[in-house]
Amino acid sequence: MLFIKSIILCSIFGGSTLIGIMLSNKYKNRTIQLCEMKKALNFFEAKIEYTYEPIADIFVEISNNIKREIGSIFKVAAVKMKEMSAKDAWEHSVNISQTNLLKEDLDIIKDFRKNFRTN
């Protein structure tokens, strides 16, 4: 009987530990992605201010420099800008992104589209 209790106790402890590690990884990845987004937006601001390149070209360059999920947001937006306005392309790419960011984070990132001019 003591053996069965020990197995159950170990499985509960192991399961709880595994769930905790998975949740902590999600939040760790979120902070990494927020830092990558900040770096990408700072790069975007500098490129717009000093080079006057088209937004789509800058987004392609950002997607090449920023890897992972954040880079894919900029890559999708650059591709979609060929079909739709910059505002709509940005919102679409943020909506379909697979990130660990919270809904509040994504809403703030979507608001970045207010800075784009419509053609």
Side-chain angles (χ1 to χ4, degrees), residues 41-97:
L41 293 177
N42 285 336
F43 182 80
F44 176 75
E45 180 183 21
K47 287 295 258 185
I48 286 291
E49 193 170 324
Y50 296 112
T51 65
Y52 302 104
E53 292 180 29
I55 292 174
D57 294 345
I58 296 172
F59 278 10
V60 168
E61 190 173 345
I62 290 172
S63 70
N64 292 334
N65 292 332
I66 305 289
K67 302 299 180 204
R68 299 174 157 198
E69 299 85 5
I70 301 302
S72 69
I73 291 174
F74 286 91
K75 186 172 187 106
V76 168
V79 170
K80 287 292 183 179
M81 281 183 198
K82 295 174 184 172
E83 317 170 351
M84 56 180 70
S85 70
K87 289 180 179 184
D88 294 336
W90 178 255
E91 186 167 3
H92 173 75
S93 67
V94 172
N95 284 336
I96 66 166
S97 66

Side-chain angles (χ1 to χ4, degrees), residues 8 17 20 23 28 32 41 44 57 71 79 82 91 108 117:
I8 292 173
T17 302
L23 284 175
K28 182 180 87 173
I32 290 169
L41 293 177
F44 176 75
D57 294 345
V79 170
K82 295 174 184 172
E91 186 167 3
I108 291 169
R117 285 191 215 159

